[in-house]
Amino acid sequence: MIAIIDYNAGNLRSIVKAVELYSKDVVVTDNPETILSADKIILPGVGNFESAMANLSKEVNESSLKEAICRTVKEIPFLGICLGMQLLMEKSEEGDGAKGLGVIKGDVIKFKDTVEKIPHMGWNNVEQVMDIPLFDGIKNNEYFYFVHSYHVNPSNKDVIAGVCEYGYKFPCVLNKKNIYATQFHPEKSGKAGLKMIENFIELI
């Protein structure tokens, strides 16, 4: 069962439709117990880091989505998308230093003033700097769709699997064991994005 976490952080329709192309065993949920019983987890999202963490931290039947994620994230395949990627970090400059899930050490920073236009919006190519299952069947420097004003800054550069250039190179794909994350939206990135989702679903 693939659990797509619903924490009121954007329209989930696109990611649900994309995942359903490859698996019918999909559930959109805000129930921590459902997440604990999932075989794979997807944490999507757009919007504000601090508000998202507040929603994840709300208690439901003496538990929270945050607790459920932290209990399962190191055990089963996990995919964070866009804001869902950023939430895996320890803290963010967005929201005056709001704390994240702390699954991956590092922080989330705003694009530097030297960048011509913020947010970074539209299609951009991704350089693969690590050979990971998510990239299977996807050519290097393939284009994906981005919409964001902040990007991750991991402490351990060994978790960086893909980078993108927008004024300067920034990490846009992370991999730490069974944990994967993309700054771009694979569900909105055409054939290459759908192939990436298929690759995630086929992970053992």
Side-chain angles (χ1 to χ4, degrees), residues 3-16 19 27-29 35 41-47 52 56 69 78-88 101 180 182-188:
I4 299 175
I5 301 178
D6 180 7
Y7 58 107
N8 297 318
N11 187 348
L12 300 178
R13 185 177 180 183
S14 296
I15 184 64
V16 172
V19 172
V27 60
V28 176
T29 182
I35 293 168
I41 295 173
I42 297 177
L43 180 66
V46 294
L56 289 175
I69 291 169
F78 185 99
L79 176 63
I81 296 173
C82 195
L83 179 60
M85 176 196 210
Q86 297 177 7
L87 293 171
L88 295 173
L101 295 168
Y180 301 85
T182 67
Q183 181 59 69
F184 52 83
H185 289 269
E187 76 279 9
K188 297 180 180 179

Side-chain angles (χ1 to χ4, degrees), residues 1 11 15 19 37-39 61 66 73 82 89 109 119 126 132 149 166 168 170 173 176 180 182 192 196:
M1 183 262 286
N11 187 348
I15 184 64
V19 172
S37 64
D39 298 300
N61 297 326
K66 177 183 175 181
V73 69
C82 195
M89 311 304 289
I109 60 177
V126 172
I132 62 172
S149 300
Y166 190 65
Y168 55 91
F170 67 90
V173 182
K176 181 182 178 183
Y180 301 85
T182 67
M196 184 166 284

Side-chain angles (χ1 to χ4, degrees), residues 10-103:
N11 187 348
L12 300 178
R13 185 177 180 183
S14 296
I15 184 64
V16 172
K17 288 180 66 177
V19 172
E20 285 181 339
L21 291 173
Y22 308 103
S23 174
K24 299 305 178 185
D25 195 3
V26 183
V27 60
V28 176
T29 182
D30 59 0
N31 187 327
E33 292 300 321
T34 303
I35 293 168
L36 291 173
S37 64
D39 298 300
K40 292 184 176 71
I41 295 173
I42 297 177
L43 180 66
V46 294
N48 179 272
F49 186 101
E50 188 173 26
S51 297
M53 280 305 304
N55 288 337
L56 289 175
S57 300
K58 289 178 181 177
E59 286 201 358
V60 179
N61 297 326
E62 300 183 354
S63 185
S64 69
L65 292 173
K66 177 183 175 181
E67 289 178 34
I69 291 169
C70 290
R71 284 176 59 183
T72 57
V73 69
K74 296 179 182 180
E75 300 174 357
I76 60 175
F78 185 99
L79 176 63
I81 296 173
C82 195
L83 179 60
M85 176 196 210
Q86 297 177 7
L87 293 171
L88 295 173
M89 311 304 289
E90 294 175 295
K91 61 181 179 178
S92 175
E93 289 183 350
E94 184 178 22
D96 195 26
K99 291 185 177 180
L101 295 168
V103 174

